[in-house]
Amino acid sequence: MNKAFTQLTIKSFDQTEGLLRGIATTPATDKVGDIVEPLGAQFSLPIPLHHEHDRKDVVGQVIEAVATAEGIEFTARVAKDLSDQIAEVWRRVSGGLIKYVSVGFRPIASESIAGGTGTRFTQWAWDELSLTTIPANPHAAILATKSSNNLSISMVPKMNIAEQIQQFEVKKSAALASMDGLISKGITLADEDDAAYQAHEAEVAQIDKHLARLKQAETRGAQAALPVGVQSIQVVDNAPKGTDFVRYTKALALSRGNPLMAVEVAKNLNYGPRVENVLKAAVAAGTTTSADFTSLIQPQMMTSEFIDLLRPNLIVSKMSQVRNVPMNIKMPRTSTGTTSGWVGEGKPAPITNAAFTDLSIGEHKLGAIAVFTEELLRRSEPAAEAMVTNDLINTVATAIDAAFIDQSNAGVGGVKPASIANAATTAATAGPTAANVRTDVKAAYLNASTANQPLSSAVWVMHPATALALSMMTNATTGLREFPGVDFVTGGTFEGLPVIISTSVPGSAGTGYDVVLAVQNEILLAEGGLSIDASREASLEMNDAPTNNSATPTATTLVSLWQSGSVAIKAIRGITWTRRRPTAVYRISACKYA
């Protein structure tokens, strides 16, 4: 197998996912005089990623690769959490100790380079890519940038034949210009000048040969082309997802909830025909979840867009394996199972019956109120709309998450569901050390195993402060991280299971936070729609836990929205959940890990 060492220009690192992006090979001549043409690569993804061409030392895979005339751009994923050995390789790459890659390939077609001793590989099978420290290209300097905030890279799209012809014509012109520059010196070419002229001459000949191939391919493509029929053109609004729903909400708020006035507000603020059509259709009054509204496609789409933005912010929505069910149903579940026994020859088989109970899925809705100034709602610039969007999402998401994970929420019949952690098996943490952490984890796993709960669908839910403490624990002897999979931003993994991060996990910095182990497919989730209402005349108790009510009113300081020039938007979200079995959740309390 041939190996070509080349420059690895790392355009970005993703420290969390173990991704690196760069250039796998270029058409430059290496130290031994060979050229490996990028467009001659034949490969299928994924391609093994090795360390120093050791086939037994597989550290990851090349998951994306795009070949152009200038090089092959690639994206590789290093399985940095799979073993300590791979984690060490990743640390060397991200620390700048391993700066190069080497392409391992099998030649398919090649030719000698005119005027030199090297070989030009025009077609080759790409078998593997290796991380290496020893380059054959002395000009392959690394420009490494570690940036977890800039993880994007624009992969060069595959060029069509016409674009390739244009590119090679430009390359040919540059080579001819270099040749003319050498001739214009007015002296006989010798030594380096003569070698340079011959190299450019060979390059022009090679380009002419390849251009002939490209033009033949272009001719064949034109002969095989079919007439293009008339296609429809669809104009799509490129505003961020959920923008129309926010504009709809703002128009209703500014019009005091009057759809007729809201249409005019939408027109004056240039909210677009989609928002105006929805407001016109809603003249009969209703919410985005009412019966007369659900027949309208546009309101459903707008609401769905907003809910899609809301879901990634919810703990329960980050649980990919929960069971989705309708609201207001009853599901049978076994309270005691059947048994079986061994039967001897001529002996009777034992008889047993299973006992069943009903598990009820209720219908609950959550309400939240967000207050904005009229000046902010009247602004149409993206920053103002983004602020309204984020505030609405945070208002609803925080309330849902707190009810979902806080064990003190025992639920209220017909009002709200109990937390999945309420009345769950609870144990105080064994202590702050890494050994104590493993004791806590072992107890949680044993509890689930004893109850025959499938840990394969389990997930940890913890506060970012807890995840930060776990991620920074190091072994006093080796200096390595005790729990390298934990990431206090994205969650990562903890002792083999995924981690979900949420600031709604109960606890405090002084006493520590809860850590919850939840078996996802034992949690039943029912979701409804979203309704929006607005007012400028109400007086509000400005409290996230209001105590006043119309049945037993008490003296409370209220704020007049009209007097303060503000608008209140009330969002009602239909959502409920329950555990199929109490053993589906295990809670570790007061976790203040060092």
Side-chain angles (χ1 to χ4, degrees), residues 300-344:
Q300 281 185 319
M301 291 174 59
M302 287 164 51
T303 304
S304 297
E305 286 179 1
F306 185 81
I307 291 176
D308 286 344
L309 291 177
L310 174 64
R311 282 196 177 105
N313 294 272
L314 300 179
I315 296 174
V316 67
S317 296
K318 294 175 184 177
M319 295 182 174
S320 58
Q321 300 180 45
V322 296
R323 298 188 182 186
N324 291 283
V325 297
M327 288 186 178
N328 265 337
I329 64 168
K330 289 186 177 182
M331 297 178 61
R333 62 176 174 180
T334 58
S335 56
T336 59
T338 58
T339 59
S340 58
W342 297 99
V343 181

Side-chain angles (χ1 to χ4, degrees), residues 144-166:
T145 303
K146 296 182 184 178
S147 172
S148 58
N149 295 323
N150 181 17
L151 304 180
S152 62
I153 178 174
S154 299
M155 297 298 290
V156 179
K158 187 174 182 180
M159 293 183 291
N160 58 37
I161 293 178
E163 291 170 334
Q164 291 184 49
I165 291 175
Q166 183 180 11

Side-chain angles (χ1 to χ4, degrees), residues 364-381:
H364 300 100
K365 57 185 179 181
L366 179 139
I369 296 178
V371 179
F372 304 94
T373 62
E374 290 188 27
E375 288 84 354
L376 176 63
L377 291 181
R378 290 188 185 279
R379 293 176 185 170
S380 297
E381 64 268 23

Side-chain angles (χ1 to χ4, degrees), residues 24 61 213 343 352 404 496 539:
Q61 292 180 324
R213 299 191 193 108
V343 181
T352 181
F404 181 78
S539 293

Side-chain angles (χ1 to χ4, degrees), residues 160-399:
N160 58 37
I161 293 178
E163 291 170 334
Q164 291 184 49
I165 291 175
Q166 183 180 11
Q167 184 182 53
F168 278 104
E169 292 285 6
V170 171
K171 196 172 182 179
K172 177 181 176 180
S173 298
L176 291 172
S178 298
M179 293 168 64
D180 293 341
L182 292 169
I183 293 296
S184 64
K185 291 182 178 182
I187 59 176
T188 303
L189 301 182
D191 299 330
E192 293 182 359
D193 288 343
D194 183 55
Y197 189 91
Q198 290 184 35
H200 289 311
E201 197 172 35
E203 183 181 12
V204 170
Q206 190 67 30
I207 291 175
D208 283 338
K209 186 186 296 184
H210 191 62
L211 282 172
R213 299 191 193 108
L214 289 173
K215 290 176 180 178
Q216 290 173 1
E218 186 178 42
T219 301
R220 290 193 299 271
Q223 293 173 347
L226 298 175
V228 179
V230 179
Q231 298 180 350
S232 60
I233 299 176
Q234 183 180 7
V235 179
V236 180
D237 187 2
N238 62 354
K241 195 173 186 178
T243 298
D244 284 341
F245 181 83
V246 171
R247 291 174 178 174
Y248 166 83
T249 301
K250 288 170 62 178
L252 276 181
L254 293 171
S255 65
R256 306 181 185 182
N258 186 325
L260 286 174
M261 293 177 59
V263 174
E264 299 304 317
V265 171
K267 288 180 179 178
N268 292 334
L269 295 177
N270 296 318
Y271 280 170
R274 189 184 185 201
V275 177
E276 293 176 23
N277 291 338
V278 171
L279 290 168
K280 290 176 182 178
V283 169
T287 68
T288 49
T289 57
S290 62
D292 53 348
F293 240 70
T294 53
S295 62
L296 300 173
I297 296 177
Q298 293 283 16
Q300 281 185 319
M301 291 174 59
M302 287 164 51
T303 304
S304 297
E305 286 179 1
F306 185 81
I307 291 176
D308 286 344
L309 291 177
L310 174 64
R311 282 196 177 105
N313 294 272
L314 300 179
I315 296 174
V316 67
S317 296
K318 294 175 184 177
M319 295 182 174
S320 58
Q321 300 180 45
V322 296
R323 298 188 182 186
N324 291 283
V325 297
M327 288 186 178
N328 265 337
I329 64 168
K330 289 186 177 182
M331 297 178 61
R333 62 176 174 180
T334 58
S335 56
T336 59
T338 58
T339 59
S340 58
W342 297 99
V343 181
E345 183 178 357
K347 303 295 183 180
I351 298 176
T352 181
N353 289 323
F356 296 90
T357 60
D358 284 334
L359 178 64
S360 297
I361 310 297
E363 182 173 4
H364 300 100
K365 57 185 179 181
L366 179 139
I369 296 178
V371 179
F372 304 94
T373 62
E374 290 188 27
E375 288 84 354
L376 176 63
L377 291 181
R378 290 188 185 279
R379 293 176 185 170
S380 297
E381 64 268 23
E385 292 179 348
M387 187 179 297
V388 175
T389 303
N390 293 335
D391 199 82
L392 287 174
I393 289 174
N394 292 336
T395 299
V396 178
T398 300

Side-chain angles (χ1 to χ4, degrees), residues 8 10 12-21 47-51 57-63 74-94 98 101 129-131:
L8 165 61
I10 298 178
S12 68
F13 275 96
D14 185 338
Q15 299 284 17
T16 301
E17 298 295 331
L19 295 178
L20 57 85
R21 302 174 172 88
I47 298 170
L49 181 67
H50 294 162
H51 179 222
D57 193 5
V58 181
V59 298
Q61 292 180 324
V62 176
I63 57 175
F74 76 93
T75 299
R77 185 188 302 277
V78 178
K80 61 185 183 66
D81 299 323
L82 189 61
S83 68
D84 292 340
Q85 183 178 0
I86 299 178
E88 178 60 26
V89 173
W90 173 252
R91 281 192 289 270
R92 293 179 185 178
V93 172
S94 56
I98 300 178
V101 290
L129 182 69
S130 283
L131 302 171

